[in-house]
Amino acid sequence: QVQLVESGGGLVQPGGSLRLSCAASGSIASINYINWYRQVPGKERELVASIITGGSSVYGDPVKGRFTISRDNAKNTVYLQMNSLKPEDTAVYYCNVDGKSTYGLRFNAWGQGTQVTVSS
């Protein structure tokens, strides 16, 4: 099975920065897309950023210009660099990877979630 382990969350003051990591383990042959989502209690899950195989990235309007998604293929890790953090960025962040395993099967894996709290 493909598993995603997230890290990098924590408490940060407004205007600060955090870098989230999502490390994939298992037999991954190819990746179709990578997403970062976030969810605030009482609200629907929100797409934060996406990156596709070709390298193109897409960002949700609230984070444009502040967040950057990137991928290190050699380390099977995806990152979310978050700058100029605002209190409204407070949420549980989840990584989501869709691709094909070395067994030829489609997979869609989710990280366990990491809490990001932006508060003074």
Side-chain angles (χ1 to χ4, degrees), residues 12-26:
V12 64
Q13 294 184 352
S17 298
L18 285 174
R19 189 193 193 198
L20 305 183
S21 298
C22 177
S25 62

Side-chain angles (χ1 to χ4, degrees), residues 31-97:
I31 292 176
N32 295 327
Y33 59 80
I34 303 168
N35 299 318
W36 282 98
Y37 288 90
R38 67 186 183 187
Q39 189 164 27
V40 178
K43 296 183 179 180
E44 296 294 323
R45 185 179 63 194
E46 177 186 30
L47 180 64
V48 177
S50 298
I51 188 169
I52 62 175
T53 303
S56 298
S57 59
V58 178
Y59 299 92
D61 288 339
V63 308
K64 287 181 178 178
R66 299 187 298 118
F67 290 12
T68 302
I69 186 172
S70 62
R71 173 186 175 186
D72 187 333
N73 292 332
K75 297 181 179 180
N76 290 323
T77 301
V78 62
Y79 304 96
L80 184 67
Q81 179 67 46
M82 305 184 295
N83 298 325
S84 301
L85 284 163
K86 304 175 180 179
E88 50 263 43
D89 294 319
T90 297
V92 177
Y93 285 72
Y94 300 90
C95 60
N96 167 231
V97 179

